[in-house]
PDB file of all heavy atoms in Angstrom:
ATOM      1  N   ILE Q  81       5.664  41.758  48.216  1.00  0.00           N
ATOM      2  CA  ILE Q  81       5.123  41.507  46.867  1.00  0.00           C
ATOM      3  C   ILE Q  81       5.921  42.241  45.823  1.00  0.00           C
ATOM      4  O   ILE Q  81       6.209  41.715  44.751  1.00  0.00           O
ATOM      5  CB  ILE Q  81       3.619  41.957  46.840  1.00  0.00           C
ATOM      6  CG1 ILE Q  81       2.772  41.071  47.745  1.00  0.00           C
ATOM      7  CG2 ILE Q  81       3.093  41.892  45.395  1.00  0.00           C
ATOM      8  CD1 ILE Q  81       1.336  41.518  47.844  1.00  0.00           C
ATOM      9  N   TRP Q  82       6.358  43.477  46.138  1.00  0.00           N
ATOM     10  CA  TRP Q  82       7.245  44.193  45.228  1.00  0.00           C
ATOM     11  C   TRP Q  82       8.533  43.408  44.985  1.00  0.00           C
ATOM     12  O   TRP Q  82       9.056  43.319  43.861  1.00  0.00           O
ATOM     13  CB  TRP Q  82       7.573  45.586  45.839  1.00  0.00           C
ATOM     14  CG  TRP Q  82       6.573  46.650  45.543  1.00  0.00           C
ATOM     15  CD1 TRP Q  82       5.718  47.205  46.399  1.00  0.00           C
ATOM     16  CD2 TRP Q  82       6.334  47.305  44.308  1.00  0.00           C
ATOM     17  NE1 TRP Q  82       4.910  48.140  45.832  1.00  0.00           N
ATOM     18  CE2 TRP Q  82       5.294  48.230  44.519  1.00  0.00           C
ATOM     19  CE3 TRP Q  82       6.892  47.197  43.006  1.00  0.00           C
ATOM     20  CZ2 TRP Q  82       4.815  49.030  43.484  1.00  0.00           C
ATOM     21  CZ3 TRP Q  82       6.433  48.006  42.028  1.00  0.00           C
ATOM     22  CH2 TRP Q  82       5.401  48.917  42.216  1.00  0.00           C
ATOM     23  N   VAL Q  83       9.129  42.859  46.027  1.00  0.00           N
ATOM     24  CA  VAL Q  83      10.371  42.082  45.886  1.00  0.00           C
ATOM     25  C   VAL Q  83      10.120  40.845  44.999  1.00  0.00           C
ATOM     26  O   VAL Q  83      10.927  40.531  44.129  1.00  0.00           O
ATOM     27  CB  VAL Q  83      10.894  41.664  47.276  1.00  0.00           C
ATOM     28  CG1 VAL Q  83      12.080  40.700  47.096  1.00  0.00           C
ATOM     29  CG2 VAL Q  83      11.354  42.888  48.030  1.00  0.00           C
ATOM     30  N   ALA Q  84       9.038  40.126  45.270  1.00  0.00           N
ATOM     31  CA  ALA Q  84       8.713  38.959  44.464  1.00  0.00           C
ATOM     32  C   ALA Q  84       8.475  39.351  42.992  1.00  0.00           C
ATOM     33  O   ALA Q  84       8.908  38.648  42.052  1.00  0.00           O
ATOM     34  CB  ALA Q  84       7.506  38.235  45.000  1.00  0.00           C
ATOM     35  N   TRP Q  85       7.800  40.499  42.812  1.00  0.00           N
ATOM     36  CA  TRP Q  85       7.527  40.947  41.441  1.00  0.00           C
ATOM     37  C   TRP Q  85       8.852  41.298  40.705  1.00  0.00           C
ATOM     38  O   TRP Q  85       9.082  40.916  39.552  1.00  0.00           O
ATOM     39  CB  TRP Q  85       6.637  42.172  41.478  1.00  0.00           C
ATOM     40  CG  TRP Q  85       6.488  42.836  40.108  1.00  0.00           C
ATOM     41  CD1 TRP Q  85       5.670  42.486  39.103  1.00  0.00           C
ATOM     42  CD2 TRP Q  85       7.230  43.959  39.633  1.00  0.00           C
ATOM     43  NE1 TRP Q  85       5.785  43.338  38.019  1.00  0.00           N
ATOM     44  CE2 TRP Q  85       6.791  44.251  38.343  1.00  0.00           C
ATOM     45  CE3 TRP Q  85       8.217  44.790  40.219  1.00  0.00           C
ATOM     46  CZ2 TRP Q  85       7.302  45.302  37.573  1.00  0.00           C
ATOM     47  CZ3 TRP Q  85       8.734  45.809  39.482  1.00  0.00           C
ATOM     48  CH2 TRP Q  85       8.285  46.072  38.161  1.00  0.00           C
ATOM     49  N   LEU Q  86       9.731  41.970  41.404  1.00  0.00           N
ATOM     50  CA  LEU Q  86      11.023  42.323  40.825  1.00  0.00           C
ATOM     51  C   LEU Q  86      11.842  41.084  40.486  1.00  0.00           C
ATOM     52  O   LEU Q  86      12.491  41.002  39.446  1.00  0.00           O
ATOM     53  CB  LEU Q  86      11.802  43.230  41.772  1.00  0.00           C
ATOM     54  CG  LEU Q  86      13.196  43.710  41.280  1.00  0.00           C
ATOM     55  CD1 LEU Q  86      13.017  44.554  40.029  1.00  0.00           C
ATOM     56  CD2 LEU Q  86      13.888  44.536  42.374  1.00  0.00           C
ATOM     57  N   HIS Q  87      11.825  40.117  41.364  1.00  0.00           N
ATOM     58  CA  HIS Q  87      12.566  38.859  41.098  1.00  0.00           C
ATOM     59  C   HIS Q  87      12.015  38.137  39.887  1.00  0.00           C
ATOM     60  O   HIS Q  87      12.730  37.641  39.033  1.00  0.00           O
ATOM     61  CB  HIS Q  87      12.448  37.951  42.366  1.00  0.00           C
ATOM     62  CG  HIS Q  87      13.207  36.666  42.225  1.00  0.00           C
ATOM     63  ND1 HIS Q  87      12.693  35.534  41.651  1.00  0.00           N
ATOM     64  CD2 HIS Q  87      14.503  36.347  42.560  1.00  0.00           C
ATOM     65  CE1 HIS Q  87      13.586  34.563  41.688  1.00  0.00           C
ATOM     66  NE2 HIS Q  87      14.701  35.016  42.231  1.00  0.00           N
ATOM     67  N   PHE Q  88      10.670  38.133  39.749  1.00  0.00           N
ATOM     68  CA  PHE Q  88      10.052  37.500  38.583  1.00  0.00           C
ATOM     69  C   PHE Q  88      10.402  38.233  37.286  1.00  0.00           C
ATOM     70  O   PHE Q  88      10.619  37.648  36.260  1.00  0.00           O
ATOM     71  CB  PHE Q  88       8.553  37.412  38.791  1.00  0.00           C
ATOM     72  CG  PHE Q  88       7.849  36.631  37.711  1.00  0.00           C
ATOM     73  CD1 PHE Q  88       7.886  35.246  37.734  1.00  0.00           C
ATOM     74  CD2 PHE Q  88       7.177  37.283  36.697  1.00  0.00           C
ATOM     75  CE1 PHE Q  88       7.256  34.525  36.738  1.00  0.00           C
ATOM     76  CE2 PHE Q  88       6.544  36.560  35.715  1.00  0.00           C
ATOM     77  CZ  PHE Q  88       6.577  35.161  35.702  1.00  0.00           C
ATOM     78  N   VAL Q  89      10.416  39.574  37.363  1.00  0.00           N
ATOM     79  CA  VAL Q  89      10.825  40.376  36.161  1.00  0.00           C
ATOM     80  C   VAL Q  89      12.221  40.049  35.757  1.00  0.00           C
ATOM     81  O   VAL Q  89      12.538  39.919  34.585  1.00  0.00           O
ATOM     82  CB  VAL Q  89      10.596  41.851  36.439  1.00  0.00           C
ATOM     83  CG1 VAL Q  89      11.211  42.686  35.344  1.00  0.00           C
ATOM     84  CG2 VAL Q  89       9.141  42.186  36.593  1.00  0.00           C
ATOM     85  N   VAL Q  90      13.139  39.919  36.747  1.00  0.00           N
ATOM     86  CA  VAL Q  90      14.517  39.517  36.417  1.00  0.00           C
ATOM     87  C   VAL Q  90      14.573  38.168  35.695  1.00  0.00           C
ATOM     88  O   VAL Q  90      15.310  37.969  34.734  1.00  0.00           O
ATOM     89  CB  VAL Q  90      15.377  39.544  37.682  1.00  0.00           C
ATOM     90  CG1 VAL Q  90      16.755  38.969  37.366  1.00  0.00           C
ATOM     91  CG2 VAL Q  90      15.510  40.938  38.242  1.00  0.00           C
ATOM     92  N   CYS Q  91      13.753  37.226  36.189  1.00  0.00           N
ATOM     93  CA  CYS Q  91      13.685  35.912  35.577  1.00  0.00           C
ATOM     94  C   CYS Q  91      13.161  36.047  34.112  1.00  0.00           C
ATOM     95  O   CYS Q  91      13.673  35.371  33.167  1.00  0.00           O
ATOM     96  CB  CYS Q  91      12.772  34.957  36.350  1.00  0.00           C
ATOM     97  SG  CYS Q  91      13.456  34.509  37.974  1.00  0.00           S
ATOM     98  N   LEU Q  92      12.105  36.883  33.925  1.00  0.00           N
ATOM     99  CA  LEU Q  92      11.582  37.085  32.573  1.00  0.00           C
ATOM    100  C   LEU Q  92      12.636  37.663  31.650  1.00  0.00           C
ATOM    101  O   LEU Q  92      12.802  37.251  30.484  1.00  0.00           O
ATOM    102  CB  LEU Q  92      10.368  37.993  32.632  1.00  0.00           C
ATOM    103  CG  LEU Q  92       9.029  37.373  33.047  1.00  0.00           C
ATOM    104  CD1 LEU Q  92       7.958  38.434  33.177  1.00  0.00           C
ATOM    105  CD2 LEU Q  92       8.590  36.334  32.030  1.00  0.00           C
ATOM    106  N   ILE Q  93      13.356  38.655  32.125  1.00  0.00           N
ATOM    107  CA  ILE Q  93      14.403  39.317  31.326  1.00  0.00           C
ATOM    108  C   ILE Q  93      15.494  38.273  30.960  1.00  0.00           C
ATOM    109  O   ILE Q  93      15.949  38.232  29.795  1.00  0.00           O
ATOM    110  CB  ILE Q  93      14.991  40.520  32.064  1.00  0.00           C
ATOM    111  CG1 ILE Q  93      13.928  41.611  32.231  1.00  0.00           C
ATOM    112  CG2 ILE Q  93      16.190  41.069  31.291  1.00  0.00           C
ATOM    113  CD1 ILE Q  93      14.381  42.773  33.085  1.00  0.00           C
ATOM    114  N   ALA Q  94      15.913  37.464  31.920  1.00  0.00           N
ATOM    115  CA  ALA Q  94      16.977  36.479  31.663  1.00  0.00           C
ATOM    116  C   ALA Q  94      16.513  35.466  30.619  1.00  0.00           C
ATOM    117  O   ALA Q  94      17.278  35.105  29.667  1.00  0.00           O
ATOM    118  CB  ALA Q  94      17.381  35.753  32.942  1.00  0.00           C
ATOM    119  N   GLU Q  95      15.291  34.974  30.705  1.00  0.00           N
ATOM    120  CA  GLU Q  95      14.791  34.008  29.735  1.00  0.00           C
ATOM    121  C   GLU Q  95      14.595  34.631  28.378  1.00  0.00           C
ATOM    122  O   GLU Q  95      14.875  34.046  27.340  1.00  0.00           O
ATOM    123  CB  GLU Q  95      13.457  33.415  30.251  1.00  0.00           C
ATOM    124  CG  GLU Q  95      13.596  32.561  31.484  1.00  0.00           C
ATOM    125  CD  GLU Q  95      14.418  31.332  31.272  1.00  0.00           C
ATOM    126  OE1 GLU Q  95      14.497  30.864  30.117  1.00  0.00           O
ATOM    127  OE2 GLU Q  95      15.031  30.812  32.250  1.00  0.00           O
ATOM    128  N   ALA Q  96      14.088  35.887  28.345  1.00  0.00           N
ATOM    129  CA  ALA Q  96      13.890  36.547  27.051  1.00  0.00           C
ATOM    130  C   ALA Q  96      15.216  36.818  26.379  1.00  0.00           C
ATOM    131  O   ALA Q  96      15.370  36.640  25.116  1.00  0.00           O
ATOM    132  CB  ALA Q  96      13.151  37.850  27.275  1.00  0.00           C
ATOM    133  N   VAL Q  97      16.236  37.228  27.099  1.00  0.00           N
ATOM    134  CA  VAL Q  97      17.559  37.463  26.475  1.00  0.00           C
ATOM    135  C   VAL Q  97      18.131  36.190  25.963  1.00  0.00           C
ATOM    136  O   VAL Q  97      18.691  36.146  24.806  1.00  0.00           O
ATOM    137  CB  VAL Q  97      18.505  38.103  27.565  1.00  0.00           C
ATOM    138  CG1 VAL Q  97      19.941  38.133  27.004  1.00  0.00           C
ATOM    139  CG2 VAL Q  97      18.053  39.522  27.860  1.00  0.00           C
ATOM    140  N   ALA Q  98      18.024  35.075  26.698  1.00  0.00           N
ATOM    141  CA  ALA Q  98      18.547  33.774  26.217  1.00  0.00           C
ATOM    142  C   ALA Q  98      17.778  33.322  24.993  1.00  0.00           C
ATOM    143  O   ALA Q  98      18.366  32.772  24.043  1.00  0.00           O
ATOM    144  CB  ALA Q  98      18.397  32.714  27.327  1.00  0.00           C
ATOM    145  N   GLU Q  99      16.474  33.612  24.942  1.00  0.00           N
ATOM    146  CA  GLU Q  99      15.683  33.221  23.776  1.00  0.00           C
ATOM    147  C   GLU Q  99      16.054  34.018  22.568  1.00  0.00           C
ATOM    148  O   GLU Q  99      16.126  33.536  21.433  1.00  0.00           O
ATOM    149  CB  GLU Q  99      14.162  33.362  24.092  1.00  0.00           C
ATOM    150  CG  GLU Q  99      13.267  32.657  23.104  1.00  0.00           C
ATOM    151  CD  GLU Q  99      13.296  31.173  23.284  1.00  0.00           C
ATOM    152  OE1 GLU Q  99      13.247  30.661  24.423  1.00  0.00           O
ATOM    153  OE2 GLU Q  99      13.459  30.484  22.254  1.00  0.00           O
ATOM    154  N   ILE Q 100      16.226  35.303  22.759  1.00  0.00           N
ATOM    155  CA  ILE Q 100      16.589  36.188  21.625  1.00  0.00           C
ATOM    156  C   ILE Q 100      17.945  35.858  21.086  1.00  0.00           C
ATOM    157  O   ILE Q 100      18.169  35.849  19.854  1.00  0.00           O
ATOM    158  CB  ILE Q 100      16.517  37.657  22.060  1.00  0.00           C
ATOM    159  CG1 ILE Q 100      15.005  38.046  22.340  1.00  0.00           C
ATOM    160  CG2 ILE Q 100      17.044  38.595  20.954  1.00  0.00           C
ATOM    161  CD1 ILE Q 100      14.859  39.426  22.923  1.00  0.00           C
ATOM    162  N   ARG Q 101      18.924  35.578  21.953  1.00  0.00           N
ATOM    163  CA  ARG Q 101      20.280  35.247  21.484  1.00  0.00           C
ATOM    164  C   ARG Q 101      20.272  33.935  20.706  1.00  0.00           C
ATOM    165  O   ARG Q 101      21.109  33.711  19.827  1.00  0.00           O
ATOM    166  CB  ARG Q 101      21.216  35.158  22.672  1.00  0.00           C
ATOM    167  CG  ARG Q 101      21.513  36.542  23.270  1.00  0.00           C
ATOM    168  CD  ARG Q 101      22.456  36.375  24.451  1.00  0.00           C
ATOM    169  NE  ARG Q 101      22.826  37.705  24.978  1.00  0.00           N
ATOM    170  CZ  ARG Q 101      23.616  37.845  26.089  1.00  0.00           C
ATOM    171  NH1 ARG Q 101      24.076  36.770  26.719  1.00  0.00           N
ATOM    172  NH2 ARG Q 101      23.886  39.059  26.496  1.00  0.00           N
ATOM    173  N   GLY Q 102      19.392  33.009  21.064  1.00  0.00           N
ATOM    174  CA  GLY Q 102      19.247  31.773  20.291  1.00  0.00           C
ATOM    175  C   GLY Q 102      20.292  30.732  20.635  1.00  0.00           C
ATOM    176  O   GLY Q 102      20.370  29.718  19.938  1.00  0.00           O
ATOM    177  N   HIS Q 103      21.057  30.841  21.636  1.00  0.00           N
ATOM    178  CA  HIS Q 103      22.034  29.790  22.014  1.00  0.00           C
ATOM    179  C   HIS Q 103      22.266  29.883  23.485  1.00  0.00           C
ATOM    180  O   HIS Q 103      22.299  30.915  24.100  1.00  0.00           O
ATOM    181  CB  HIS Q 103      23.326  29.925  21.239  1.00  0.00           C
ATOM    182  CG  HIS Q 103      24.073  31.220  21.520  1.00  0.00           C
ATOM    183  ND1 HIS Q 103      24.919  31.372  22.599  1.00  0.00           N
ATOM    184  CD2 HIS Q 103      24.060  32.409  20.860  1.00  0.00           C
ATOM    185  CE1 HIS Q 103      25.407  32.588  22.589  1.00  0.00           C
ATOM    186  NE2 HIS Q 103      24.913  33.229  21.562  1.00  0.00           N
TER     187      HIS Q 103
END
Side-chain angles (χ1 to χ4, degrees):
I81 294 176
W82 276 108
V83 172
W85 171 83
L86 181 62
H87 183 272
F88 187 77
V89 170
V90 172
C91 293
L92 279 175
I93 294 173
E95 293 296 333
V97 170
E99 195 72 47
I100 292 173
R101 289 180 176 177
H103 63 84

